[in-house]
Amino acid sequence: VEGGAAVGEARRSSRTDVGERLSHAMKQRLRLAAPFAATWPQAMALQTLPPNLLGAIQRRARLAQLILDYAHHWEDADSTGATGTWRAPPAAHPAVDLTCAKRAVVGAAYGLAELRLCADESSGQEDTWALVEKVVDGMGRHAQSANWLETELRHAAVHSSFLLSLLRSR
């Protein structure tokens, strides 16, 4: 019983730490871009050119997935310390893919922080790190709301359809 309680407590603790790991992963990636903050907006603009757009979207999706994977690395830890592959909980409706929704939200949050980094004149990018904390905290609060998630999924579907139609028209 004592060992089982410890495992249960470790899992509860790991879930509360997901936000911390999400924040840490985003900050680590942003620290890599920080030395290039002065020219980063130009690099971001180049990604929006038609020949570069599809690859940029794919790289952003992979980055968001890497951040999610890092944040959920210990989510399925068992008593031996081994980790499982993180899987989204079953969707309430088959058309709702929570993994894609989480990836879209994390990608948008990272993009917002990346834009803030480009304009950040605070000492040690403190304003950027504060934004990351605020956004991750908001994601944790809003993730509990099914209505919020459903709305975000609808918005993501509209934006994805628009981007796909633009890419197909090339």
Side-chain angles (χ1 to χ4, degrees):
V1 173
E2 207 171 281
V7 170
E9 182 60 34
R11 286 191 180 183
R12 274 190 296 282
S13 175
S14 75
R15 286 187 192 104
T16 60
D17 293 341
V18 168
E20 290 176 24
R21 289 192 302 272
L22 186 61
S23 176
H24 180 261
M26 290 174 69
K27 288 177 183 178
Q28 285 298 102
R29 177 59 176 86
L30 288 164
R31 281 186 185 99
L32 294 174
F36 309 101
T39 56
W40 205 252
Q42 291 87 349
M44 292 169 63
L46 288 173
Q47 293 180 46
T48 65
L49 295 174
N52 305 335
L53 190 57
L54 182 59
I57 292 169
Q58 290 170 338
R59 284 187 297 279
R60 291 296 176 141
R62 281 195 304 269
L63 175 60
Q65 189 61 55
L66 284 171
I67 291 170
L68 277 171
D69 288 347
Y70 177 83
H72 290 283
H73 180 69
W74 293 279
E75 186 76 8
D76 292 333
D78 64 17
S79 59
T80 65
T83 58
T85 303
W86 178 76
R87 291 176 294 293
H93 186 277
V96 177
D97 183 350
L98 292 176
T99 303
C100 288
K102 287 180 179 183
R103 189 181 312 131
V105 171
V106 167
Y110 178 81
L112 178 64
E114 192 174 40
L115 289 172
R116 180 65 191 112
L117 177 69
C118 293
D120 194 347
E121 295 179 1
S122 65
S123 174
Q125 290 89 26
E126 291 174 15
D127 291 347
T128 300
W129 310 144
L131 176 70
V132 169
E133 294 294 331
K134 183 178 180 179
V135 168
V136 169
D137 183 55
M139 287 169 35
R141 283 192 320 268
H142 291 297
Q144 303 303 316
S145 168
N147 291 335
W148 177 83
L149 183 58
E150 186 177 357
T151 300
E152 293 303 315
L153 285 172
R154 275 195 227 117
H155 289 221
V158 168
H159 293 292
S160 297
S161 296
F162 174 72
L163 285 173
L164 288 174
S165 67
L166 278 177
L167 291 173
R168 286 185 186 136
S169 68
R170 289 192 325 139

